[in-house]
Amino acid sequence: MSMAASSSTDHTLRSSVKFSPAQFPKSTFAPQRLSFTTPKIPKCTLRSDNPLPQNFIVSKPSPLEILKTSSADRYTKEKSSIIVIGLNVHTAPVEMREKLAIPEAQWPQVIQELCALNHIEEAAVLSTCNRIEIYLVALSQHRGVREVTDWISKKSGVSVPEISKHQILLYNKDATQHLFEVAAGLDSLVLGEGQILSQVKQVVKSGQGVPGFDRKISGLFKQAISVGKRVRTETNISSGSVSVSSAAVELALMKRLESSFGDAKVLVIGAGKMGKLVIKHLVAKGCRKMVVVNRSEEKVNAIRKELKDVDIVYRPLSEMMECAAEADVIFTGTASESLLFSKENVEILPPVGQGVRRRLFVDISIPRNVDPGVSELENALVYNVDDLREVVDANKEDRQRKAMEARGIIKEELNTFEAWKDSLETVPTIKKFRAYVERIRASELEKCLSKMRGDVSKEQKEAMYALSMGIVNKLLHGPMQHLRCDGNDTKCLDEVLENMRALNRMYDLETEISLMEEKIRVKMEKAKK
């Protein structure tokens, strides 16, 4: 039976239907006289011209039918949401993170792919050695999450259930707070680390001019950068803190049981951001000579200029295995998506120098550069980014105290951003009200000109047009002022939102098709082309 037929019959023969109390408001029944066999039924008119059998019972709508009828209303009232979905060092091991990692060069392309999905309006990607997080403005929460999770699964080859087991999933204010904590260094493996702020800045730089990196997402990341700067300026959380790169150097020292790298034969593979930081921290720990393998010598020369008193020997990537044969400590930090050291080619390397039993690999790359199987060999030790906890835990307690100050700053900035985001709600109303008034102005001007039967000069028409525009602009000035707020004053924002709702009611500005539905319809039409 269809929903329409069910509804019609239900009003026709209420006397033959048995109702449960849950179908009526509490006020319909007097609790002490409630009877499930002969309930008191609201008055209705029976149609005698369509009798039905005595034993006929009108079935109640199924839960699925109820959901279908209510979904349209719920869907049109649903507001777009800010969402973060992904994995990080706290929720997923390196084996999982490296499968989902997205190289920085691909971030603009990924933004466009995500925004091509039906329910995704804006997007940004933050992919580092410790996290792969996708930030979204979604037209529908659950639909958006489902689409993006499916996209991640297809892109990485990891099943949806496996992703769900390790993912973080936060909405709106929680998602915003999370990004602010990330930018402030509070969510890093190394509490208070500074490198993550430069990575958040890179998200904005990569997103400039990319369709889909629009007002809300761009505003979110710019506010996050402001938070990161404030936390580092106004608190001591970064004083004496270590980065992933410095923790890698500390870990190597711990495993070598040495106080410096003065006598170590050090090889650094990669001269990018991570490699450069490793080199600087090696120098701080007494290393005065090292070999750096990189695709080109340009970046190595730039590092040489900064560290003039250090002997930095450049070797091309083609000589990597020869250099590894002569080294006893090897750091890897490249963006290579394939392994640089397999178990087989490490196994045939010659023994390390006298007094050192095993060659030490410290791999801080995502995806990893060193095959985990290398650790099974008798002549090698392998550590990756997840093993840095041993170093981090040594000074974590002191940084936790400093983090309390940072959270106060984050709370202030969070309120500011949420107010700004809420103030954007008035933009569609402003546009619709202007369009509404403009239609009236143009229509009335046209009527006036038609009554004058063409006996109007060009100058007179221009004067009449200017007059109508002047009247409209002056009338619009007051309402427009009351629909604007910079977001810093909560009281002001509350008033603005109330003014917006009042204007919508007074001028019936709500359209039959919601803004959300219209955006989805346009997206789906584009996808068909």
Side-chain angles (χ1 to χ4, degrees):
M1 182 178 293
S2 69
M3 286 294 292
S6 174
S7 176
S8 174
T9 313
D10 184 46
H11 282 82
T12 304
L13 284 167
R14 293 287 181 91
S15 58
S16 61
V17 185
K18 293 191 177 183
F19 293 85
S20 70
Q23 292 174 275
F24 293 92
K26 291 182 180 179
S27 59
T28 305
F29 296 97
Q32 66 274 21
R33 288 184 285 170
L34 182 62
S35 169
F36 289 99
T37 55
T38 57
K40 184 178 179 182
I41 303 170
K43 292 181 180 180
C44 63
T45 303
L46 298 178
R47 278 173 28 194
S48 56
D49 58 335
N50 187 23
L52 289 173
Q54 290 285 332
N55 59 352
F56 182 83
I57 302 293
V58 179
S59 61
K60 292 191 297 182
S62 70
L64 181 58
E65 289 174 318
I66 294 172
L67 180 63
K68 285 179 179 178
T69 56
S70 64
S71 62
D73 184 55
R74 288 186 296 105
Y75 193 76
T76 57
K77 290 180 179 178
E78 189 170 5
K79 291 167 61 177
S80 62
S81 303
I82 292 178
I83 302 171
V84 57
I85 180 171
L87 313 174
N88 61 39
V89 68
H90 307 298
T91 67
V94 63
E95 294 84 5
M96 177 67 69
R97 301 199 307 274
E98 67 185 358
K99 292 177 183 176
L100 274 65
I102 301 174
E104 187 179 304
Q106 295 180 18
W107 291 0
Q109 177 192 338
V110 167
I111 290 172
Q112 293 180 71
E113 287 182 22
L114 290 168
C115 290
L117 301 174
N118 286 339
H119 295 86
I120 304 304
E121 200 171 12
E122 301 180 37
V125 179
L126 177 59
S127 184
T128 73
C129 61
N130 282 334
R131 68 188 68 248
I132 162 61
E133 293 174 354
I134 295 175
Y135 292 80
L136 310 161
V137 174
L139 297 170
S140 166
Q141 281 189 4
H142 66 281
R143 292 176 180 86
V145 169
R146 185 178 62 206
E147 287 175 352
V148 173
T149 305
D150 288 343
W151 179 89
I152 293 172
S153 178
K154 289 174 184 175
K155 191 88 171 174
S156 64
V158 180
S159 68
V160 170
E162 190 65 18
I163 292 170
S164 300
K165 190 189 302 181
H166 296 284
Q167 76 180 5
I168 62 163
L169 182 58
L170 299 170
Y171 301 100
N172 297 316
K173 197 169 183 178
D174 291 336
T176 301
Q177 181 172 334
H178 174 75
L179 179 59
F180 289 0
E181 290 176 353
V182 167
L186 301 189
D187 194 64
S188 299
L189 176 65
V190 182
L191 191 63
E193 68 135 324
Q195 191 177 359
I196 186 62
L197 181 57
S198 65
Q199 290 163 335
V200 172
K201 289 178 181 178
Q202 191 58 37
V203 173
V204 176
K205 186 177 179 181
S206 298
Q208 294 297 326
V210 178
F213 190 80
D214 295 327
R215 191 170 187 180
K216 281 187 181 177
I217 284 292
S218 173
L220 173 64
F221 272 82
K222 287 176 181 177
Q223 191 80 22
I225 292 169
S226 175
V227 171
K229 288 178 178 178
R230 272 196 68 189
V231 166
R232 285 164 178 78
T233 302
E234 299 176 26
T235 74
N236 294 320
I237 195 167
S238 296
S239 61
S241 68
V242 291
S243 64
V244 169
S245 301
S246 65
V249 173
E250 290 282 355
L251 181 65
L253 273 180
M254 288 170 61
K255 299 306 175 184
R256 278 175 50 83
L257 302 177
E258 300 286 343
S259 59
S260 76
F261 288 96
D263 61 345
K265 296 176 181 177
V266 178
L267 170 62
V268 179
I269 300 175
K273 295 174 184 176
M274 298 290 278
K276 182 178 179 180
L277 286 171
V278 166
I279 292 168
K280 286 185 173 182
H281 290 297
L282 282 168
V283 172
K285 294 297 182 181
C287 186
R288 286 292 175 268
K289 181 177 181 178
M290 67 191 77
V291 176
V292 178
V293 169
N294 198 53
R295 293 185 186 277
S296 66
E297 194 173 1
E298 185 180 354
K299 289 184 177 179
V300 179
N301 285 334
I303 296 171
R304 281 178 180 146
K305 289 179 181 179
E306 284 189 50
L307 307 170
K308 296 178 180 178
D309 299 331
V310 183
D311 185 6
I312 300 176
V313 180
Y314 165 74
R315 289 287 182 269
L317 204 57
S318 59
E319 298 179 19
M320 182 184 71
M321 292 309 298
E322 296 173 31
C323 296
E326 299 174 1
D328 51 40
V329 182
I330 301 173
F331 294 89
T332 63
T334 78
S336 173
E337 295 187 33
S338 57
L339 292 173
L340 300 182
F341 292 97
S342 66
K343 182 178 178 181
E344 291 72 26
N345 58 31
V346 172
E347 191 171 19
I348 62 175
L349 290 176
V352 290
Q354 188 177 5
V356 182
R357 194 169 68 86
R358 305 172 84 178
R359 184 172 277 107
L360 178 62
F361 290 85
V362 183
D363 183 8
I364 54 174
S365 308
I366 297 290
R368 287 172 291 180
N369 292 165
V370 183
D371 183 351
V374 170
S375 60
E376 299 170 7
L377 302 174
E378 290 185 3
N379 65 339
L381 285 170
V382 180
Y383 297 95
N384 59 50
V385 287
D386 285 2
D387 297 313
L388 300 181
R389 295 180 190 277
E390 190 173 341
V391 176
V392 173
D393 289 343
N395 56 7
K396 190 173 182 179
E397 189 175 330
D398 179 50
R399 287 197 179 82
Q400 288 285 12
R401 288 194 293 270
K402 295 174 182 176
M404 294 300 293
E405 301 174 46
R407 294 189 191 283
I409 293 172
I410 289 173
K411 187 176 180 181
E412 289 177 25
E413 295 284 347
L414 183 61
N415 290 337
T416 300
F417 177 79
E418 287 296 308
W420 172 79
K421 180 168 66 73
D422 288 343
S423 71
L424 297 181
E425 285 187 37
T426 65
V427 174
T429 297
I430 290 173
K431 290 180 178 179
K432 286 188 286 186
F433 189 49
R434 278 192 174 277
Y436 171 82
V437 174
E438 172 57 23
R439 285 196 300 271
I440 294 174
R441 184 204 65 77
S443 173
E444 293 303 312
L445 180 59
E446 185 63 31
K447 286 179 186 178
C448 178
L449 290 172
S450 65
K451 287 178 181 178
M452 300 177 79
R453 299 177 182 178
D455 298 329
V456 183
S457 67
K458 181 181 177 182
E459 290 77 11
Q460 288 173 324
K461 283 183 180 179
E462 289 176 353
M464 292 172 70
Y465 174 80
L467 174 65
S468 66
M469 288 299 297
I471 293 170
V472 163
N473 288 334
K474 283 182 171 57
L475 288 173
L476 281 175
H477 178 73
M480 292 301 103
Q481 288 296 104
H482 286 83
L483 286 177
R484 290 194 176 95
C485 179
D486 62 9
N488 292 320
D489 185 344
T490 305
K491 183 180 178 183
C492 167
L493 178 62
D494 291 341
E495 291 176 358
V496 165
L497 294 177
E498 182 53 42
N499 291 337
M500 177 194 75
R501 297 181 192 108
L503 208 60
N504 279 324
R505 288 194 302 270
M506 286 188 290
Y507 293 94
D508 195 25
L509 299 178
E510 296 296 341
T511 55
E512 292 181 7
I513 300 176
S514 71
L515 184 63
M516 183 189 304
E517 282 184 310
E518 180 63 18
K519 287 178 180 177
I520 294 169
R521 184 184 63 77
V522 171
K523 278 197 167 201
M524 295 179 76
E525 286 178 357
K526 284 182 180 178
K528 290 176 183 177
K529 293 179 181 177

